[in-house]
Amino acid sequence: MKKTNRKVDEQAKVEISNILMFEVSDPRLQFVTITGCKVSFDRAYAEVFYTTTPDNYADAEIALGKAKGHIRSVMARNLDWKKAPELRFRLDETIDNAVRIENQIESERERFGYDSEESEEGEL
């Protein structure tokens, strides 16, 4: 990915985050965090990755769907791009996957009777 694309992606991420914090008053978006953004080369589309609490997934998806037109129009006003990208919101499952893997590792440790404190002391 080119350096300029990373800058554009970061610019879109920051702008969308600010819009959600200061321009959108939907309480369903209170715990939504924008984790990343990938803007197409022609800036026609932006894939926006977000995370929230697991019990808020459905509400956040609905709220973002309703707010995306407003977010896009504020972006058009605030950014010096020729056009505002069509927004596609995607749940970022990275954190959920990390928790799932961590739980699996802990389960395996318990299953095999592995105690991390004993192992660390033995390595010294």
Side-chain angles (χ1 to χ4, degrees):
M1 186 179 296
K2 292 183 179 180
K3 192 176 191 178
T4 55
N5 277 351
R6 279 189 240 138
K7 286 182 181 180
V8 168
D9 292 347
E10 185 63 23
Q11 187 179 19
K13 176 187 166 192
V14 168
E15 184 63 31
I16 293 168
S17 295
N18 287 333
I19 292 168
L20 287 177
M21 280 196 303
F22 302 114
E23 302 277 340
V24 178
S25 60
D26 192 325
R28 297 174 293 184
L29 299 175
Q30 182 177 4
F31 297 109
V32 169
T33 301
I34 303 302
T35 58
C37 196
K38 290 185 181 177
V39 180
S40 65
F41 181 74
D42 63 356
R43 299 182 187 179
Y45 299 96
E47 195 166 17
V48 182
F49 298 94
Y50 69 94
T51 189
T52 188
T53 57
D55 58 329
N56 194 34
Y57 287 163
D59 287 341
E61 181 180 3
I62 292 166
L64 286 168
K66 289 188 176 199
K68 80 168 129 179
H70 176 68
I71 295 167
R72 186 177 184 202
S73 66
V74 174
M75 281 182 74
R77 217 177 30 232
N78 293 347
L79 298 174
D80 61 349
W81 299 355
K82 290 182 182 179
K83 56 185 164 185
E86 179 182 320
L87 303 174
R88 298 173 180 167
F89 289 97
R90 304 279 186 254
L91 179 63
D92 185 347
E93 297 175 346
T94 306
I95 295 171
D96 292 339
N97 290 338
V99 169
R100 182 183 52 75
I101 291 168
E102 183 178 347
N103 290 340
Q104 185 64 37
I105 290 170
E106 187 59 35
S107 173
E108 291 298 310
R109 282 183 177 155
E110 290 173 8
R111 185 175 127 195
F112 290 106
Y114 176 79
D115 185 5
S116 61
E117 290 179 19
E118 288 176 9
S119 175
E120 289 175 7
E121 290 173 8
E123 292 177 356
L124 296 176

